[in-house]
Amino acid sequence: MPLACQDAFEWIDEEARRRERAGLVRALRPRGAEEAAGEDAPLDLAGNDYLGLTRHPEVTAAAGAAAVRWGAGATGSRLVSGTIALHTELEAALARFCGFEAALVFSSGYAANLAALTALGGHQDGLVVSDAGNHASIVDGCRLGRGETAVVPHADPEAVRKTLAAHPGRRSLVVTDSVFSVDGDAAPLGALADVCRAAGAALLVDDAHGLGVLGDGGRGAVHAAGLAGAPDTVATVTLSKSLGSQGGAVLGPARVVEHLVNTARTFIFDTGLAPAAAGAALAALGLLEREPERAARAREVASALHEGLTAAGLTAARPDAAVVSVRAPSPEAALRWAADCRAAGLLVGCFRPPSVPDGVSRLRLTARADLTDRQIRTAVHTVLATAPTAARRETDTAS
């Protein structure tokens, strides 16, 4: 007789109960066709379509044309059969627009960060200095690297300087988001660059939330800080936010890009970016070049949302780019608040532990350049009308 089958995944049930008790259960909520577009579609301030390009006719037409010409997929790793002319065209356009010597396109921004961190910081004798507020893809890249990682307080160049000084002679890489995804605040890139150069360290900046929003014509936070093209600075970007598509890229000196081609596992062993995504991103980049006012409008919308919410007594971080973060009293309250907004026709993000480094739950609103003033007022009204009473009390107490 065979032995009785034991439940190998019984522990998952306990984990699920623990999440439920803590109010941290996550669930997929697919958008139906009726929510995609049209007058009855919810107002979407949850996605990252900062420039309103994901449904732009030129962008969708370019995606369709690329799929018809090149096929639905890239067919393989870019080092085997997966590199198409669109990839190299997009890389050249990104490097030129953002002010870097070279670029390398990946299947996602997550993969781009993993590649940069493991290839540039993954040395047994290396040191990676990472901001405590960095994105999960940076955290995972640090974990996958073979070097030592030192996590420093958020947006603190002096803490970075002290950490580097405590490890003289180490091959060091400092990594930071340019704009942090939780509160939407910007990193002090100029000061960080000064600290890095004094210690002979390299600087890696994830500009996912800066590209298309900050800098001259949306060229990004690294460009705005005067660091684009610097021999000691590398940037990663995503194509899924301001460019309305999907994918990611690493921008930097040509020798860095060549090193990634030869050593980055998420480049060597991953299928290349789908042709439709590459075509869409290339078209979106062309639109941004022709219509640089979109970047300024995204910042204007973020400021208007912030002013409307804080004037009514909510606690919201002042946005440095297009992310507006509104504090909630608890994870459960944040979840209910987001659900009430959805029921009222407004989609907002809901950030709860462990996604927030300080353990404080938030609603996150993402500004879009194509929002009208009327839509901005509607969004503010909806958030205020559904706000938990305690959300305003926290503000009163803090002030």
Side-chain angles (χ1 to χ4, degrees):
M1 293 289 292
L3 294 175
C5 180
Q6 296 185 0
D7 188 351
F9 293 116
E10 184 179 4
W11 60 271
I12 289 180
D13 298 332
E14 177 54 37
E15 288 288 305
R17 288 189 288 270
R18 180 187 59 78
R19 284 193 296 270
E20 186 171 4
R21 289 193 298 268
L24 300 177
V25 175
R26 288 163 168 78
L28 297 174
R29 295 183 176 86
R31 287 185 293 162
E34 71 280 359
E35 291 190 17
E39 292 183 2
D40 295 331
L43 183 57
D44 185 4
L45 271 70
N48 296 312
D49 187 19
Y50 294 142
L51 302 183
L53 295 181
T54 195
R55 289 189 166 274
H56 193 286
E58 287 187 32
V59 176
T60 55
V68 169
R69 181 177 182 186
W70 297 100
T75 75
S77 164
R78 289 194 54 190
L79 287 171
V80 180
S81 62
T83 293
I84 61 176
L86 269 179
H87 290 146
T88 55
E89 188 179 352
L90 176 58
E91 286 163 349
L94 282 168
R96 174 181 50 78
F97 180 75
C98 296
F100 286 84
E101 187 177 8
L104 190 65
V105 167
F106 291 77
S107 61
S108 71
Y110 211 111
N113 269 344
L114 294 186
L117 281 157
T118 54
L120 301 178
H123 308 281
Q124 291 181 348
D125 62 339
L127 173 70
V128 177
V129 183
S130 179
D131 189 290
N134 279 339
H135 186 261
S137 58
I138 295 177
V139 174
D140 288 351
C142 292
R143 289 171 175 169
L144 288 171
R146 292 173 295 163
E148 178 184 355
T149 297
V151 179
V152 294
H154 177 54
D156 189 342
E158 179 60 16
V160 174
R161 185 195 67 77
K162 290 179 179 178
T163 302
L164 291 173
H167 298 84
R170 297 280 292 274
R171 184 186 303 180
S172 300
L173 176 72
V174 174
V175 59
T176 182
D177 283 344
S178 66
V179 177
F180 294 89
S181 60
V182 173
D183 275 333
D185 57 319
L189 294 184
L192 287 173
D194 290 342
V195 168
C196 287
R197 286 168 181 169
L203 178 63
L204 172 61
V205 181
D206 178 353
D207 208 10
H209 297 276
L211 177 64
V213 179
L214 299 178
D216 179 23
R219 285 173 170 79
V222 181
H223 189 281
L227 299 174
D232 56 357
T233 301
V234 175
T236 58
V237 297
T238 180
L239 313 179
S240 63
K241 294 181 172 60
S242 288
L243 298 186
S245 181
Q246 189 169 352
V250 178
L251 312 171
R255 63 179 178 171
V256 168
V257 168
E258 182 182 1
H259 179 68
L260 293 177
V261 169
N262 284 276
T263 64
R265 295 174 66 85
T266 54
F267 181 81
I268 296 171
F269 298 107
D270 192 21
T271 298
L273 181 66
L282 190 58
L285 190 63
L287 272 166
L288 178 56
E289 287 192 272
R290 298 200 314 270
E291 302 173 5
E293 64 275 7
R294 287 180 180 267
R297 176 59 180 169
R299 299 194 301 270
E300 290 172 3
V301 172
S303 294
L305 289 169
H306 174 264
E307 290 170 7
L309 295 170
T310 54
L314 297 182
T315 300
R318 183 174 299 279
D320 286 328
V323 173
V324 181
S325 180
V326 186
R327 293 207 167 199
S330 67
E332 296 84 359
L335 196 62
R336 288 195 302 271
W337 197 356
D340 290 344
C341 284
R342 175 185 284 268
L346 175 68
L347 303 182
V348 298
C350 179
F351 276 37
R352 298 167 289 151
S355 299
V356 284
D358 58 5
V360 178
S361 296
R362 298 161 170 83
L363 295 190
R364 193 185 74 162
L365 285 65
T366 49
R368 294 205 329 256
D370 61 338
L371 290 184
T372 65
D373 291 344
R374 180 178 181 180
Q375 288 174 317
I376 296 170
R377 291 193 296 270
T378 297
V380 170
H381 171 76
T382 303
V383 173
L384 293 174
T386 56
T389 303
R392 289 194 176 90
R393 281 205 303 266
E394 277 192 358
T395 302
D396 295 339
T397 301
S399 58

